[in-house]
């Protein structure tokens, strides 16, 4: 085993937003920092590559953000999605600190742009990165390099040696060889375990094998598992993951934003037996996006089929793959491998149950509902009658896992017997402390930025 | 036009349309996001709006090795070049120069030869300075058609382009908007105004924009120099040679210096850039064209500097020969891109105007 010649004060494990914020902050405090990124350079940045905005508290218009977004309103929004499964102290810390982060991000190379088309509802709360998360990651790598931070790509950390209350060394493989370094402090920012299908299957059950992973294939939870095995304290439900319903033709990994489908409210959704299973019009899609991941996961073969007709095609954001298209429902059923007679019967039954559609309004809860149908469709219920008919398949797409490292308000990790003196965690790998369930758009980047900076500051103070 | 190039650009545009992260970079994305489906004309328009600043590429999470394999700057560059070739008139000349630097060099040599021949065969009919080598009338006889015929050819090409992209009758405001954008070269500055990604991967820099400015304004100054001289000649009967503190000379010298330096710097910048983010097959033609343009400028400056000497007739033939080649090649080389860009920006200004009219109309109850 080779020993690193160069003496680093701090090893940062991971190469996404939280890791970079930690590395830059520590380097600015005078520490010598090494980033160990398991992905190759084109895939550096973990799930941050796929992000697009940063949810930010502000008392007055700030950068691209309009009006104001108070700490209490932000917290309220968070509690709504987590159902109270939130450490309020840490949540308020993240929220309160977010305001000073935005100018800090700009100083470190991030550029913002006005809210993207189709996302106007976020113009007040979320600051969009120009070019998206990968451009943020690129800017941070450039700034970090300027600060003297060293980066190793395809450097896979295999083990952190925990001895009592300190990490003694870090083992990793690089360029086909094993290496060991003994930094004074370690920051773990290497995400969750959702890309390890076996682990996901153990946690969730057999259906997880059919799940797609929306983000990086490199979040395999190796370091997380290593630390948990050594008794480092954890947080978050180990069996749960955040999942949404995405285009069934998406790649197994890394499909990212483009695989989302916004057509469900204007459709009926059936399973592989051509049976409906849930109210497609329960609420506006952004609010229902997440529950459909679970709904589809509960169906046979973990797949759903969306059926719309010609009059609804232009009511939602364009999809990355064109929909299947047929002049008759039989043909569409054939293309989707659905039982044609059953699909026709399901559609006929649904159409029968539709009533007055004159109040139809695509962007509001319009109360255009079915009557006497189980399950009902409680909004936007218009008959599927106008050819050509279009179809999409839906699968469960996993965004992230909740299990992580428990940290305090200095981002420090601990064991049951007390704090680990030289171990900090930031980003997705500790987000379970704050996001016990659900998700709030742009909050992952807030947690990563806030706790990345805290971890960098604390680790540098310890190392210096 | 080549359907495979259009089809590939369309495939990529559809991914972009489902993502939209790049909306803030340039004119391409707002225009792209305004459509649900892309006709061949839409793709041609997007291709000519793209200035190859590469911001979107370095920001893209779907570039290779990702299976979506996006390389929008390249896909659009290929469609763009194909559109110039397809709309060019006459067609036998259309596909000879964009991809062949050697053909540009050959045209230059023919230009030299023609001028040497003209000087020998026609010569002077009296007059000072350059006119002692080749008469004014002979120069006009050569350069008036060499200037007007390419313009005629370009007019045909742009008409074809305008039809393809569905252009509407042009309003003054469309022109103002387009000239403003082109004048600042805003699409090479990115939405944040920090420049493009060219010579050093994802680092934003104004190098390319400034170099392009030097070339564009250098060329326009040289053109202004000739135009002013023509007016002085015919309008005021004030004939060349002009002194240094005259408009033709001031414009010409400043323009020549800008153009020479700009072309040298552009070739150097291009050497540092990633060729695979542009139209690889047009590399030779692009470099050949920039060298030709730079040579026109440099030979003009040298001619001015050594106009008093015995080698002046040779320098004159070389300079005028290169000018002749440049004029003649205008519709068939990168020189045409300025006209297409402008047309695309005019069309984009129309699109924005139309969109704002639609927005102002009350929405009908669904």
């Amino acid at each position: 085993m080779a020993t690193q010649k160069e003496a680093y004060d701090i090893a940062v494990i991971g190469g996404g937003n939280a890791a970079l914020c930690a590395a830059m902050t520590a380097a600015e405090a005078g520490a010598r920092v090494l980033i160990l990124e398991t992905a190759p350079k084109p895939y550096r940045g973990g799930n941050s590559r796929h992000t697009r905005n940063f949810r930010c508290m502000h008392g007055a218009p700030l950068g691209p953000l309009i009006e104001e977004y108070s700490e209490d309103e932000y917290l309220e929004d968070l509690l709504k999605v987590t159902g109270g499964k939130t450490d309020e102290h840490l949540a308020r810390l993240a929220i309160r600190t977010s305001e000073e982060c935005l100018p800090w991000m700009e100083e470190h190379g991030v550029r913002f742009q006005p809210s993207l088309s189709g996302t106007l509802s976020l113009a007040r709360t979320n600051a969009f990165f120009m070019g998206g998360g990968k451009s943020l990651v690129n800017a941070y790598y450039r700034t970090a390099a300027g600060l003297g931070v060293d980066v190793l790509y395809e450097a896979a950390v295999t083990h952190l040696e925990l001895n009592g209350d300190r990490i003694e060394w870090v083992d990793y493989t690089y360029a086909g060889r094993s290496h060991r370094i003994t930094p004074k402090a370690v920051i773990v920012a290497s995400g969750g375990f959702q890309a390890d299908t076996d682990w996901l299957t153990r946690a969730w059950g057999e259906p997880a094998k059919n799940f797609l992973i929306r983000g990086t294939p490199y979040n395999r939870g190796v370091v997380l598992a290593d630390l948990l095995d050594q008794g480092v304290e954890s947080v978050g439900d180990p069996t749960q993951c955040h999942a949404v319903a995405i285009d069934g033709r998406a790649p197994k990994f890394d499909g990212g934003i483009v695989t989302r489908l916004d057509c469900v409210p204007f459709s009926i959704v059936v399973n592989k037996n051509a049976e409906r299973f849930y109210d497609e019009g329960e609420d506006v899609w952004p609010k229902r996006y997440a529950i459909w991941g679970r709904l589809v996961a509960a169906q046979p073969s973990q797949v759903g089929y969306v059926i719309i007709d010609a009059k609804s095609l232009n009511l939602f954001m364009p999809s990355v793959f064109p929909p299947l298209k047929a002049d008759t429902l039989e043909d569409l059923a054939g293309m989707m491998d659905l039982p044609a007679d059953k699909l026709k019967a399901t559609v006929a039954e649904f159409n029968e149950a539709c009533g007055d559609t004159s109040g139809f309004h695509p962007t509001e809860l319009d109360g255009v509902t079915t009557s006497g149908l189980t399950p009902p469709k409680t909004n936007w219920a218009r008959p599927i009658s106008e050819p050509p008919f279009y179809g999409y398949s839906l699968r469960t797409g996993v965004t992230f896992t909740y299990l992580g490292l428990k940290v305090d308000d200095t981002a420090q990790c601990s064991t049951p017997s007390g704090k680990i003196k030289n171990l900090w965690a930031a980003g997705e790998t500790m987000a379970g402390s704050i996001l016990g369930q659900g998700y709030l758009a742009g909050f992952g980047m807030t947690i990563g930025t806030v706790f990345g900076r805290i971890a960098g500051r604390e680790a540098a103070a310890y190392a210096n | 036009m080549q359907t495979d190039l259009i089809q590939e650009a369309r495939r990529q545009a559809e991914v972009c349309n489902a993502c939209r992260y790049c909306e803030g970079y340039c004119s391409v994305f707002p225009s792209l996001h305004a459509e649900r489906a892309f006709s061949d004309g839409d793709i041609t328009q997007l291709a000519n709006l793209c200035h190859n600043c590469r911001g979107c590429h370095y920001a893209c999470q779907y570039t290779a090795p990702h299976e979506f394999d996006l390389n929008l700057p390249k896909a659009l560059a290929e469609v763009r070049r194909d559109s110039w070739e397809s709309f060019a008139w006459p067609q036998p000349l259309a596909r000879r120069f964009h991809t062949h630097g050697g053909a540009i060099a050959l045209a230059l040599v023919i230009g030299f030869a023609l001028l040497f021949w003209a000087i020998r065969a026609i010569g002077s009919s009296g007059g000072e300075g350059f006119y002692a080598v080749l008469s004014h009338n002979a120069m006009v006889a050569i350069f008036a058609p060499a200037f007007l015929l390419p313009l005629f050819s370009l007019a045909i090409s742009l008409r074809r382009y305008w039809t393809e992209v569905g252009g509407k009758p042009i309003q003054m405001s469309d022109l103002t908007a387009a000239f403003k954008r082109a004048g600042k070269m805003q699409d090479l500055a990115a939405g944040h105004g920090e420049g493009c990604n060219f010579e050093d991967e994802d680092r934003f820099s104004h190098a390319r924009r400034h170099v392009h400015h030097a070339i564009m304004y250098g060329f326009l100054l040289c053109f202004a120099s000739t135009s002013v001289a023509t007016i002085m000649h015919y309008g005021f009967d004030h004939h060349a040679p002009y002194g240094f503190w005259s408009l033709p000379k001031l414009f010409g010298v400043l323009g020549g210096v800008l153009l020479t330096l700009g072309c040298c710097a552009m070739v150097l910048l291009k050497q540092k850039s990633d060729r695979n983010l542009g139209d690889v097959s047009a590399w030779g033609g692009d470099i050949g064209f920039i060298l030709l343009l730079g040579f026109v400028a440099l030979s003009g400056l040298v001619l001015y500097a050594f106009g008093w000497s015995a080698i002046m007739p040779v320098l004159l033939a070389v300079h005028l020969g290169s000018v002749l080649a440049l004029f003649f090649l205008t519709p068939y080389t990168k020189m045409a891109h300025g006209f297409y860009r402008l047309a695309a920006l005019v069309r984009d200004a129309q699109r924005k105007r139309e969109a704002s009219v639609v927005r102002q109309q009350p929405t009908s109850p669904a």
Side-chain angles (χ1 to χ4, degrees):
Chain A
M1 182 171 292
T3 308
Q4 189 86 14
K5 293 278 183 302
E6 218 145 355
Y8 289 101
D9 296 323
I10 298 172
V12 177
I13 303 167
N17 173 53
L20 290 159
C21 288
M24 288 186 290
T25 305
E28 281 171 338
R32 294 184 44 75
V33 182
L34 173 69
I35 289 178
L36 297 167
E37 162 65 304
T38 182
K41 192 179 172 195
Y43 281 129
R44 68 183 181 182
N47 279 341
S48 306
R49 291 173 62 238
H50 290 293
T51 64
R52 58 180 183 176
N53 59 36
F54 171 79
R55 185 172 285 255
C56 186
M57 173 188 121
H58 52 107
L62 176 68
L65 298 167
I66 56 171
E67 299 166 22
E68 61 159 337
Y69 188 40
S70 70
E71 179 180 334
D72 286 340
E73 186 187 357
Y74 196 148
L75 183 69
E76 209 174 291
D77 286 346
L78 178 64
L79 293 176
K80 258 185 253 167
V81 297
T82 61
K85 287 193 186 173
T86 291
D87 178 325
E88 185 171 331
H89 174 63
L90 293 184
R92 281 192 184 272
L93 174 64
I95 291 169
R96 220 176 289 137
T97 316
S98 67
E99 188 164 19
E100 68 177 56
C101 285
L102 192 138
W104 183 90
M105 294 163 80
E106 286 181 321
E107 281 160 28
H108 291 77
V110 178
R111 295 295 171 262
F112 294 96
Q113 63 183 343
S115 189
L116 300 179
S117 57
T119 62
L120 280 179
S121 56
L122 297 172
R124 188 171 63 87
T125 55
N126 291 47
F128 282 75
F129 318 131
M130 183 169 291
K134 190 172 165 191
S135 72
L136 169 140
V137 165
N138 289 343
Y140 280 166
Y141 273 102
R142 281 207 173 260
T143 305
L147 291 167
V149 173
D150 287 337
V151 180
L152 288 183
Y153 298 108
E154 299 179 65
V157 173
T158 51
H159 177 60
L160 306 188
E161 178 68 15
L162 176 64
N163 182 8
D165 62 355
R166 31 178 298 122
I167 298 292
E168 297 288 348
W169 67 75
V170 177
D171 288 336
Y172 65 95
T173 59
Y174 178 71
R177 294 180 61 195
S178 298
H179 298 262
R180 173 168 295 173
I181 50 171
T182 52
K184 293 179 194 159
V186 179
I187 297 168
V188 180
S190 49
F193 65 85
Q194 66 275 13
D196 181 342
T197 307
D198 291 339
W199 188 346
L200 207 58
T201 308
R202 284 198 305 276
W204 181 288
E206 278 301 298
K209 285 185 178 157
N210 285 329
F211 293 174
L212 305 174
I213 311 303
R214 300 176 68 210
T216 177
Y218 297 96
N219 277 10
R220 291 180 293 244
V222 176
V223 175
L224 179 61
D226 177 61
L227 290 173
L228 296 182
D229 285 348
Q230 297 178 76
V232 177
E233 285 202 292
S234 75
V235 70
D237 187 339
T239 67
Q240 292 303 307
C241 57
H242 181 263
V244 300
I246 59 173
D247 195 313
R249 297 161 293 180
K252 175 73 181 173
F253 292 103
D254 247 341
I257 186 81
V258 301
T259 58
R260 81 192 174 303
L261 282 177
D262 299 338
C263 51
V264 167
F266 310 112
S267 75
I268 61 165
V269 180
V270 299
N271 59 21
K272 70 187 252 191
N273 304 322
E275 296 155 338
R276 287 178 66 247
F277 52 88
Y278 198 81
D279 176 1
E280 301 89 349
E282 188 179 39
D283 204 340
V284 291
W285 184 239
K287 292 195 182 163
R288 294 292 91 184
Y289 188 41
I291 70 155
W292 278 85
R294 280 156 192 283
L295 290 171
V296 170
Q299 294 306 310
S301 304
Q302 293 72 51
V303 61
Y305 299 90
V306 184
I307 316 284
I308 60 171
D309 68 356
K311 63 180 173 287
S312 296
L313 186 65
N314 291 332
L315 296 178
F316 52 91
M317 280 270 289
S319 53
V320 65
F321 305 112
L324 297 172
K325 177 181 173 183
D327 287 328
T328 64
L329 285 169
E330 287 92 331
D331 289 350
L332 193 63
M335 293 165 93
M336 299 176 118
D337 261 340
L338 294 173
D341 290 342
K342 178 64 189 164
L343 180 67
K344 275 176 68 183
T346 299
V347 171
E349 190 191 2
F350 171 79
N351 289 352
E352 280 288 297
C354 290
D356 176 15
T357 63
S358 62
F360 176 78
H361 196 297
T363 55
E364 294 168 9
L365 296 175
D366 63 4
V368 172
T369 179
T370 55
S371 48
L373 188 67
T374 315
K377 184 176 178 186
T378 51
N379 287 289
W380 310 293
R382 295 195 298 177
I384 307 287
S385 53
E386 206 175 289
F389 301 98
Y390 298 91
Y392 290 99
S393 59
L394 284 180
R395 283 192 181 277
T396 301
V398 178
T399 321
F400 58 87
T401 44
Y402 291 103
L403 174 67
L405 301 172
K406 185 174 170 56
V407 298
D408 63 9
D409 56 14
T410 63
Q412 197 163 15
C413 300
S414 53
T415 63
S417 44
K419 300 217 183 299
I420 304 171
K421 281 196 178 116
N422 63 345
L423 183 66
W424 288 264
E428 205 178 309
T429 204
M430 48 62 71
S433 310
I434 305 173
L435 273 170
Q437 70 174 40
Y439 184 63
L440 189 60
F443 195 48
M445 291 301 273
T446 306
I447 295 173
T449 309
V450 169
F451 284 91
R453 290 172 66 214
I454 292 174
R457 185 189 72 206
E458 297 293 323
Y462 174 84
N464 285 343
Chain B
M1 291 184 62
Q2 292 180 36
T3 48
D4 53 333
L5 296 181
I6 297 228
Q7 190 43 44
E8 173 58 13
R10 182 181 287 124
R11 177 190 77 82
Q12 297 197 23
E14 282 167 356
V15 178
C16 295
N17 208 12
C19 171
R20 308 198 168 191
Y21 283 12
C22 291
E23 200 158 270
Y25 276 127
C26 68
S27 300
V28 170
F29 295 96
S31 179
L32 191 159
H33 300 157
E35 307 293 335
R36 273 196 89 87
F38 304 99
S39 68
D40 289 3
D42 293 335
I43 296 292
T44 304
Q45 164 68 4
L46 292 174
N48 279 282
L49 267 184
C50 168
H51 286 52
N52 198 244
C53 81
R54 305 167 175 209
C56 64
H57 184 79
Y58 287 107
C60 181
Q61 69 264 46
Y62 300 116
T63 54
H66 195 283
E67 63 187 87
F68 289 172
D69 193 17
L70 290 207
N71 186 343
L72 195 67
K74 182 192 177 89
L76 293 182
E78 290 176 341
V79 170
R80 192 156 62 232
R81 191 245 315 150
D82 182 49
S83 74
W84 302 336
E85 291 179 339
S86 304
F87 300 140
W89 178 89
Q91 269 294 301
L93 291 169
R95 287 170 207 277
R96 292 282 178 276
F97 301 100
H98 280 293
T99 50
H100 296 93
I104 294 176
L106 185 64
L108 178 63
V109 171
I110 295 173
F112 291 158
L114 272 173
L115 260 293
F116 276 114
W117 173 83
I119 289 171
R120 178 154 298 197
I122 306 168
S124 173
S125 55
E128 283 180 72
F130 304 146
Y131 302 141
V133 177
L134 186 63
S135 75
H136 181 264
N137 285 347
M139 286 195 199
V140 172
I142 295 168
F143 282 95
F147 177 65
L148 294 173
L149 281 177
L151 282 187
F152 177 69
S153 163
L154 270 176
I156 292 176
S157 306
L158 290 176
R159 222 192 134 67
R160 289 173 175 170
Y161 176 77
W162 201 246
T163 311
E164 173 73 16
V165 303
K168 305 273 160 39
I170 297 168
Q171 294 188 5
M172 198 58 205
S173 62
D174 303 335
L175 290 177
T176 340
F179 273 101
K180 229 173 169 174
R181 261 198 110 75
K184 292 193 210 153
M185 206 54 69
Q186 223 160 319
D187 285 309
L188 281 183
H192 48 47
E194 293 180 8
C196 61
N197 297 156
F198 197 65
E199 66 279 9
D200 181 18
E201 296 189 349
D202 56 49
R203 186 168 70 88
F204 286 92
S205 118
H206 281 296
R208 177 144 160 258
R209 179 161 166 258
H210 290 159
V211 164
H212 193 286
H213 267 146
I215 296 176
M216 180 172 78
Y217 286 110
F219 178 81
L220 291 175
L221 280 170
C222 291
F223 187 72
S225 159
T226 311
S227 308
V228 169
T230 308
I231 294 168
M232 285 164 69
H233 184 95
Y234 290 106
F236 300 91
D237 207 28
H238 182 11
H239 295 185
Y242 305 111
F244 182 79
W245 295 106
S246 65
L247 278 182
K249 281 291 184 285
L250 288 175
F251 284 166
V253 170
L254 182 59
V257 170
L258 280 176
L259 195 48
T260 308
L261 294 178
C263 288
C264 291
M266 187 63 97
V267 170
L268 292 178
L269 276 183
K270 272 186 174 275
Q271 302 290 346
K272 289 191 202 168
S273 72
D274 182 349
R275 290 187 199 190
N276 193 42
L277 302 189
D279 180 356
V280 179
S281 65
W283 177 263
D286 279 359
I287 296 287
F289 167 74
I290 299 167
L291 291 176
L292 171 63
L293 192 58
F295 184 82
V296 168
L298 183 64
S299 62
L301 290 174
V302 171
L303 175 62
Y304 180 49
F306 294 93
W308 50 270
S309 71
I311 56 164
M312 183 272 272
V314 177
L315 297 178
L316 182 69
V318 164
H319 176 61
L320 290 184
S322 66
V323 173
L324 188 64
L326 178 71
F327 278 8
F328 168 75
L329 292 179
T330 290
Y332 319 114
T333 55
K334 191 70 182 275
M335 193 70 183
H337 85 279
F339 298 89
Y340 281 97
R341 286 272 196 272
L342 208 50
L345 288 170
V346 172
R347 175 68 197 121
D348 198 48
Q350 293 186 335
R351 181 195 63 77
K352 285 183 202 153
R353 184 161 51 77
E354 287 158 10
S356 72
V357 170
V358 170
R359 264 204 303 278
Q360 277 158 19
Q361 281 169 356
T363 43
S364 57

